[in-house]
Amino acid sequence: MDKQALRDKYRQERDKRLRSDGNDQYLQLKGQFAGFVEDPYTPRVERQARHDHVTVAFIGGGFAGLVTAARLVEAGIKDVRIIEKGGDFGGTWYWNRYPGAQCDTASMVYMPLLEETHHMPSEKYAHAPEILEHCQRIGKYYGLYDNAMFHTEVNTLEWNETEAHWDIGTNRGDKITAQFVAMGTGPLHVPKLPGIAGIESFKGHAFHTSRWDYQYTGGDPSGAFMENLADKRVAIIGTGATSVQCVPHLAKACKALFVFQRTPSSIDVRGNKPTDVEWFDKMATPGWQQRWLDNFTANQTGGEVDEDLVMDGWTELSRRIRAKVLSLPPEKMNYEGMMDALEDSDHEKMDEIRARVDSIVTDKKTAENLKAWYRQLCKRPCFHDEYLQAFNEPGTYLVDTNGKGVEKITERGVVVEGKEYAVDCIIYASGFEVGTEPTRRAGFDTVGRGGVKLSDYWAQGMRTKHGIHVHGFPNAFIVQPTQGANLISNVPHNLTESGKTIASIIKHTLDGGYKQVEVTREAEQEWIDLLLTGPGRPSVIGSPDCTPGYYNNEGQAMTAASKLSVGYPAGAVAYFDYISEWRESGNFEGLTLC
Ligand code: NDP
C-alpha cells in the first residue's frame, strides 16, 4: 500500500468537494417547499386547545421521549405527557418509511426496552415497520397514549419563576403548564433540500425520502413492489445511508432510475438474517438486553471484553483496530505508532470495500465511480447487500457528478455537465439539517430563569452537566448523547441511560417534597472543564481532512462551539458506569433542590 499516494488521493477528492457556503448550500423546506414536510401518513384531526397542568411534559415522541417516559412510569410518575409533531410515536421511525428502511445497528441493542416489552426482533437488523410498531408497543405498554398530544408542535417554552413551573405554548393554541419538562427533539429531524439552481422550476412530481409518497409510487413501507413506477423515469439525488437503502427497491420498480451522486458512500457487508427463535428463547434470561448493551459498547469503544455478542460492522471496526494496535512492536507502542496503526487498518478496510465494488458491479466505469476515497469514519459508514447490485439492473444508471453535485434542475429534469436527464419524478435523499442553530431545528427557544434564552446561553457552545442539565433552566432535562457518553454507534443506549437518570432525579425531587431541581453553575463548569481534558473529537470523525459532510460541519473550520461537541473523556463504558453510580448514590451531586 502506498500510503502517501492514498493520502494524496483522499485530499484531492476532498478538495473537489470543498465549498465556501457550507451549510448554506441547503434549502429550508419553507414557502414553495412547505408541502414537502407535511405528514403523508396520518390525517390531522382538529381539536380544542388544551389548558391544563402535567407533572412532566416531554417534547418529542421518538426513542428519547419513549424511554424517558417509560422510566418515569416505572418510577411511579404516571402524569407524563409526550408532545409530538408527528401523528404517532416513533420520531425518526414515524417519518422515515421509505422502502428498505432498516436499522444499521443490530436490533438487539438498537431497539430499546425489548426485554421489558417482551419483544424479540425478527431480524438482526429490523426493518422500519417493525421498529415503528415497537415504538407503539412501548407507548401502549407504559400507557403513554392517553396523555399524549400528536400533530402538536411546541412553539414557546418559558420558565415561570413565580409558579415554579414551565409554561408551554403550541401551534394548536394549547397553553400547558408542567412542573418538569424534558426534551428529545432529535439530532436529524429537519429535512433539507439541496440548493440547486432551478429547483423550484421542476414541473414533475417530487418528494423528500422522509415523507415517502406511496400514493405516487405504489408499494408500501414493508418494501412491496412499487407498481406505479413501471412507466416512470425517476431521479434520486443523494447517495447517503437513506439512498443506499431505498435504491435497490427503486431499481427493481422504475422504468429508468438515475442515481445522482456527489460523494459515494462506503458500502460494507450487511449480513442480515432472521432471528432464530429457539436461540433467542434460551439466550433471553433476565437482564439479557443490558448485557448485550454493555457488551456492544465495550466492544465498539475498545474496552476489555472476551466475547462479541453482536458481531456487526461496528464491533468489527473496533476489533480490527485493536488487533492492529496490539500487533505493534514494543518500540512503536506510542501515540504516533498507534495513529499509524489506525491509518493502516483504515486503508486496509477501505481497500476491501473498494474491491467489493469491483467484485459486484459489472460495468467498470460505474464501479470506479462508486468507490469511496476517504477514511471510513469521514462519512457515515453504510452496510448493504443489495445496493451495489442494483447498478447491475437494466435501467439503473449512476450519474456521477465528480464531486460537484447536480448542476441545475429544469422544468423537465436534472442537469449534470450540461446533459439534461428528463424525469417524471425527483426523490430528494438529501438528508437533514445538522450544523444549523439548535433552536432553528427544534422550532422553539427555551427561556429559562430571568428570561435567559437557551440560544444565548449556548451562543459559545453547549454547556451542560452530563449533557442533561443546564444552569438557569431548572426542572428541565435534555435527552441526547453529546457531553454524556456520546456513543454514536448506538444512540438509543445513551437515551435509555438518560431516561433512567432523569426518572430517578424527578422521583427524588417529588418524594422529598421539593419544587425545583437545578444544576449549580460550579457543577456545570466543572463538567465542561472535565470534558475539555479529553482527546476531543476522535481524530477522524469530524476531521477537516475528510471529504465534507455533516460529520465535519460540511468541511468548514471547526468553531469553538464544536470543541464542546464531545463526550466523557474516559469513554462511553466509563460514562455509563459513572452515571449509574452517580444516580444510584442518591446524592445527585452537583444539583440543588429547593
Ligand atoms: P445524508 O446527509 O447522509 O446524505 C445526503 C446526500 O445528498 C449525500 O449523498 C449528499 O452528497 C447528497 N447531496 C447533497 N447536495 C447535493 C447536490 N447538490 N447534488 C447531489 N447530491 C447532493 O442524508 P441521509 O438521509 O442519507 O442520511 C442522514 C443520516 O440519517 C445518516 O447519516 C444516518 O445517520 C441516518 N440514517 C440512518 C439509517 C439507519 O440507521 N438505518 C438509515 C438512513 C439514514 P455529499 O455526500 O457529497 O454531501
Side-chain angles (χ1 to χ4, degrees):
M1 182 189 339
D2 183 342
K3 267 166 95 163
Q4 194 50 49
L6 203 49
R7 283 185 195 142
D8 292 344
K9 169 80 175 158
Y10 284 4
R11 193 159 276 258
Q12 278 162 18
E13 292 293 328
R14 180 206 67 169
D15 289 350
K16 257 190 222 171
R17 292 171 172 83
L18 274 181
R19 35 193 295 169
S20 56
D21 50 1
N23 280 308
D24 293 338
Q25 68 183 284
Y26 295 106
L27 289 180
Q28 279 184 281
L29 293 159
K30 295 200 295 206
Q32 179 188 345
F33 301 111
F36 274 58
V37 276
E38 276 170 18
D39 182 349
Y41 314 121
T42 316
R44 183 184 142 118
V45 178
E46 285 313 316
R47 63 165 173 81
Q48 296 279 316
R50 304 220 2 209
H51 300 90
D52 58 359
H53 179 83
V54 289
T55 307
V56 187
F58 197 103
I59 305 171
F63 279 167
L66 290 167
V67 299
T68 307
R71 296 305 183 204
L72 285 162
V73 171
E74 283 173 350
I77 301 148
K78 302 228 157 60
D79 183 23
V80 182
R81 173 171 301 160
I82 293 182
I83 306 174
E84 163 58 45
K85 76 174 173 187
D88 200 342
F89 293 130
T92 292
W93 299 101
Y94 176 82
W95 297 110
N96 286 283
R97 301 186 190 196
Y98 58 84
Q102 69 182 128
C103 58
D104 260 351
T105 299
S107 327
M108 303 282 276
V109 289
Y110 180 78
M111 291 168 72
L113 307 176
L114 287 172
E115 192 172 345
E116 289 82 343
T117 57
H118 316 290
H119 180 68
M120 180 198 83
S122 65
E123 300 175 280
K124 181 158 184 178
Y125 303 95
H127 279 79
E130 180 173 343
I131 306 177
L132 175 58
E133 197 184 305
H134 185 60
C135 293
Q136 294 160 340
R137 178 179 299 109
I138 297 172
K140 287 178 201 147
Y141 187 85
Y142 288 97
L144 304 175
Y145 274 96
D146 295 344
N147 213 359
M149 290 166 73
F150 296 115
H151 279 158
T152 304
E153 288 179 52
V154 168
N155 51 23
T156 58
L157 179 62
E158 187 160 0
W159 174 247
N160 183 322
E161 188 71 48
T162 323
E163 303 294 336
H165 67 213
W166 287 92
D167 288 323
I168 304 167
T170 77
N171 66 339
R172 311 286 294 249
D174 308 302
K175 296 275 174 237
I176 302 159
T177 58
Q179 183 176 356
F180 303 95
V181 73
M183 290 168 252
T185 49
L188 287 147
H189 79 287
V190 178
K192 64 183 195 223
L193 287 180
I196 300 168
I199 188 168
E200 69 297 332
S201 62
F202 182 60
K203 293 263 196 303
H205 196 71
F207 58 88
H208 187 273
T209 48
S210 67
R211 307 287 190 275
W212 196 272
D213 189 349
Y214 283 105
Q215 282 213 332
Y216 178 84
T217 62
D220 63 34
S222 74
F225 186 70
M226 293 179 280
E227 67 282 356
N228 301 353
L229 297 180
D231 60 349
K232 301 283 188 297
R233 291 166 60 87
V234 175
I236 181 162
I237 299 183
T239 51
T242 299
S243 184
V244 165
Q245 293 185 333
C246 64
V247 157
H249 293 261
L250 289 168
K252 287 200 179 78
C254 299
K255 179 177 169 202
L257 174 69
F258 302 93
V259 182
F260 291 89
Q261 171 181 276
R262 187 164 70 178
T263 310
S265 281
S266 68
I267 320 286
D268 206 349
V269 175
R270 168 73 305 159
N272 197 17
K273 56 179 186 202
T275 310
D276 177 335
V277 182
E278 255 178 62
W279 165 84
F280 182 86
D281 286 346
K282 273 204 207 107
M283 178 285 298
T285 54
W288 76 263
Q289 199 177 21
Q290 192 60 48
R291 286 197 295 279
W292 274 66
L293 284 166
D294 294 342
N295 183 268
F296 174 81
T297 304
N299 271 292
Q300 214 283 303
T301 59
E304 298 271 322
V305 255
D306 299 331
E307 63 176 335
D308 181 352
L309 295 171
V310 175
M311 296 286 283
D312 72 350
W314 295 110
T315 57
E316 193 250 357
L317 194 149
S318 310
R319 234 188 352 263
R320 200 167 21 86
I321 293 171
R322 197 160 50 228
K324 199 81 184 169
V325 169
L326 290 176
S327 71
L328 286 173
E331 69 279 9
K332 290 214 163 159
M333 272 290 183
N334 49 35
Y335 180 77
E336 284 76 27
M338 284 196 226
M339 287 299 114
D340 248 13
L342 199 86
E343 190 181 7
D344 288 348
S345 149
D346 194 288
H347 287 176
E348 281 167 25
K349 182 72 206 176
M350 290 305 284
D351 271 350
E352 197 183 300
I353 287 175
R354 287 186 286 264
R356 184 171 185 244
V357 181
D358 282 329
S359 71
I360 294 173
V361 178
T362 45
D363 179 70
K364 293 290 158 237
K365 184 163 174 249
T366 306
E368 215 42 56
N369 285 334
L370 282 166
K371 291 179 186 168
W373 295 102
Y374 46 79
R375 288 175 69 168
Q376 195 186 16
L377 291 180
C378 279
K379 283 179 108 66
R380 168 66 147 66
C382 293
F383 308 89
H384 214 283
D385 295 337
E386 282 116 45
Y387 174 73
L388 295 170
Q389 290 79 348
F391 294 94
N392 295 337
E393 293 277 348
T396 297
Y397 308 95
L398 179 74
V399 185
D400 183 61
T401 64
N402 193 23
K404 297 289 170 226
V406 166
E407 187 180 309
K408 171 160 90 164
I409 291 181
T410 64
E411 53 181 74
R412 280 182 310 276
V414 181
V415 180
V416 171
E417 289 184 345
K419 178 172 174 190
E420 184 185 70
Y421 297 80
V423 290
D424 301 293
C425 175
I426 301 179
I427 301 173
Y428 292 100
S430 44
F432 304 86
E433 290 192 16
V434 177
T436 51
E437 284 298 302
T439 44
R440 165 169 146 175
R441 278 177 279 137
F444 61 90
D445 208 345
T446 308
V447 183
R449 213 189 275 293
V452 174
K453 289 185 183 157
L454 189 59
S455 57
D456 289 335
Y457 192 64
W458 281 1
Q460 303 307 314
M462 184 174 172
R463 295 182 59 80
T464 70
K465 180 177 174 76
H466 301 162
I468 296 176
H469 313 275
V470 186
H471 178 68
F473 296 79
N475 294 6
F477 310 93
I478 301 164
V479 185
Q480 53 77 50
T482 311
Q483 298 195 354
N486 214 19
L487 179 68
I488 301 307
S489 53
N490 188 19
V491 171
H493 191 179
N494 304 263
L495 310 179
T496 32
E497 281 298 313
S498 294
K500 278 188 208 162
T501 306
I502 293 165
S504 38
I505 296 166
I506 293 182
K507 181 170 165 47
H508 178 74
T509 310
L510 293 172
D511 287 354
Y514 301 107
K515 291 225 161 356
Q516 295 181 42
V517 57
E518 183 182 354
V519 62
T520 65
R521 187 182 295 280
E522 296 70 34
E524 183 185 271
Q525 186 57 48
E526 271 169 29
W527 188 254
I528 300 286
D529 292 343
L530 175 73
L531 293 174
L532 292 174
T533 62
R537 293 156 79 92
S539 54
V540 176
I541 294 182
S543 158
D545 288 343
C546 283
T547 184
Y550 77 84
Y551 273 19
N552 68 350
N553 195 25
E554 298 297 336
Q556 305 289 295
M558 287 288 156
T559 58
S562 54
K563 291 210 174 73
L564 291 168
S565 292
V566 290
Y568 191 60
V573 172
Y575 176 80
F576 291 137
D577 286 346
Y578 157 82
I579 199 71
S580 115
E581 215 171 283
W582 183 89
R583 181 171 70 225
E584 276 151 31
S585 76
N587 298 328
F588 303 106
E589 177 261 313
L591 306 186
T592 49
L593 293 113
C594 60

